[in-house]
Amino acid sequence: MGYLKRTEELRRDPKKLVPWALSVISVGMNYYTPLPRPRTQAGSRGWISRYAWGDDYHDLLKERLEALLSKVKGLCPEHVEGRVFVDSGPVLERDLAGVAGIGWIGKNTHLISPHRGSWFFLGELFLSIELSYDAPIKDRCGKCDLCLKACPTGAFIGPYVLDARRCISYLTIELKGAIPPHLRPLVGTHIFGCDICQEVCPYNAKAAATQEAAFMPRDDLYAPELIPLLSLTEEEFRRRFRGSPILRAKRRGFLRNVAVALGNLKSEEAIPSLVKALEDEDPLVRRHAAWALGQIGFSDSVGALRRRLGVESDPEVKEEIEEAIKHC
């Protein structure tokens, strides 16, 4: 997360980023699809965050904001400069949306609208003209702390303070290396993102479903079967998730997550696929496949781990295999 430090000055002072800007239009686009989290585990299924069920939102929201910019230019007799941001630059999107009155930043660090909840993407249009401005909304979280208590990894240090290093969304999307062993059991079956701290928020209880077709769930992205995902090649991964936010995790990160989820499920039927993953070309995948086999146990797991240990050359993978054998 070093980029946050590198761009801190620009985030704190938008004038250094867009010196000609006098106003910002902040917008939100609802992506909520009301499919419930499965209450019982049928088969070896994982969980993908709702925002990633459909198409990547960046291009769509940017296109809508560019259209808005064209509309503004058509309405103004004077020359208008404009620049669009959609999670694409050093912009404090939630803070700007809060000042613009879309919602307030809740204890779960999400922007919450009193009428729409928090299931929406944010985007900004910086303009060189003055506008009539909306007022911020006061914090309405009150004494509620459901989100803080619900976090599986205890990522909230306190209200409004998140330790991203423990956040499941960070661990399964942004983290490029190995998931810390002590956090793996807490990740559960999450393979891309989480949603729990939003699901328990009372303001999301009556959230309206999106009407945007692009955000409707693609085939097999709602509670997908995990075992087939573990065998995806690089080409298959890119083809399957073309135009999807899931590409952000890359194949190595995604298969890492799948292996952890299978280990947490302790499903014997996953052993053959995990054994095969011990031979994956990427050490990160091999490490987490070894951990998963150690969690599942059974003689098949131990035998495969011992065989791989005899030929494994990567020291971190070897260490992971040794620990997995001990766990068995």
Side-chain angles (χ1 to χ4, degrees):
M1 299 179 70
Y3 70 94
L4 291 174
K5 183 65 177 178
R6 292 193 299 271
T7 60
E8 180 179 0
E9 191 173 345
L10 293 175
R11 291 175 191 274
R12 291 184 180 277
D13 185 3
K15 276 290 184 182
K16 295 182 179 180
L17 179 67
V18 193
W20 44 260
L22 297 177
S23 303
V24 180
I25 297 177
S26 183
V27 303
M29 179 175 277
N30 177 22
Y31 64 83
Y32 181 65
T33 46
L35 294 175
R37 185 183 290 261
R39 295 301 179 188
T40 57
Q41 198 63 48
S44 298
R45 295 185 176 273
W47 182 257
I48 292 173
S49 179
R50 282 176 173 80
Y51 90 86
W53 288 354
D55 296 342
D56 196 311
Y57 63 93
H58 293 86
D59 292 340
L60 177 61
L61 193 46
K62 184 177 180 180
E63 180 182 317
R64 300 287 173 85
L65 283 168
E66 293 286 2
L68 177 59
L69 175 57
S70 296
K71 178 76 76 172
V72 171
K73 288 181 175 180
L75 291 173
C76 292
E78 67 214 77
H79 175 71
V80 177
E81 289 283 348
R83 184 173 175 183
V84 167
F85 291 92
V86 181
D87 195 21
S88 56
V91 176
L92 293 173
E93 293 187 314
R94 285 173 301 175
D95 296 75
L96 289 174
V99 173
I102 292 180
W104 72 93
I105 299 176
K107 292 179 181 179
N108 62 2
T109 71
H110 286 275
L111 191 82
I112 304 172
S113 164
H115 305 297
R116 298 178 178 84
S118 61
W119 305 107
F120 49 83
F121 300 121
L122 294 173
E124 298 76 40
L125 172 58
F126 283 71
L127 293 170
S128 61
I129 56 174
E130 292 187 342
L131 301 171
S132 296
Y133 303 114
D134 295 294
I137 295 177
K138 290 184 178 180
D139 188 321
R140 300 187 188 182
C141 285
K143 296 181 180 180
C144 180
D145 61 356
L146 291 175
C147 57
L148 309 183
K149 293 178 178 177
C151 179
T153 59
F156 293 106
I157 298 173
Y160 313 101
V161 184
L162 174 73
D163 182 352
R165 297 167 300 179
R166 297 184 65 89
C167 176
I168 289 176
S169 288
Y170 169 75
L171 294 171
T172 59
I173 301 174
E174 302 298 335
L175 181 65
K176 305 308 178 187
I179 296 175
H182 69 285
L183 292 177
R184 294 174 193 172
L186 305 179
V187 170
T189 59
H190 295 93
I191 59 173
F192 190 90
C194 180
D195 290 343
I196 289 176
C197 67
Q198 295 192 81
E199 289 170 348
V200 300
C201 178
Y203 287 100
N204 281 326
K206 297 183 179 179
T210 182
Q211 300 301 308
E212 182 57 58
F215 298 152
M216 296 299 167
R218 293 184 177 188
D219 291 341
D220 301 325
L221 288 189
Y222 168 64
E225 285 283 355
L226 293 170
I227 293 175
L229 296 175
L230 200 59
S231 63
L232 290 174
T233 65
E234 182 69 40
E235 181 181 350
E236 290 169 341
F237 174 78
R238 291 184 176 277
R239 184 169 61 249
R240 177 163 181 167
F241 298 117
R242 182 176 291 114
S244 165
I246 291 175
L247 287 176
R248 184 173 181 85
K250 299 185 171 27
R251 174 189 178 271
R252 66 195 306 263
F254 190 67
L255 267 61
R256 170 200 63 191
N257 303 338
V258 171
V260 169
L262 287 170
N264 287 329
L265 285 171
K266 295 179 169 54
S267 174
E268 187 175 0
E269 65 178 357
I271 291 177
S273 295
L274 288 165
V275 169
K276 185 178 179 180
L278 283 177
E279 300 177 3
D280 194 272
E281 63 182 5
D282 196 305
L284 185 67
V285 177
R286 300 201 300 274
R287 283 186 67 175
H288 291 77
W291 178 86
L293 286 168
Q295 298 300 301
I296 296 172
F298 295 102
S299 58
D300 291 350
S301 297
V302 178
L305 288 166
R306 291 190 185 281
R307 288 191 296 274
R308 184 64 207 181
L309 183 60
V311 297
E312 180 60 58
S313 59
D314 186 286
E316 291 182 329
V317 179
K318 291 179 71 172
E319 183 179 349
E320 197 85 55
I321 293 174
E322 290 168 351
E323 288 298 319
I325 291 173
K326 291 178 184 177
H327 192 274
C328 288

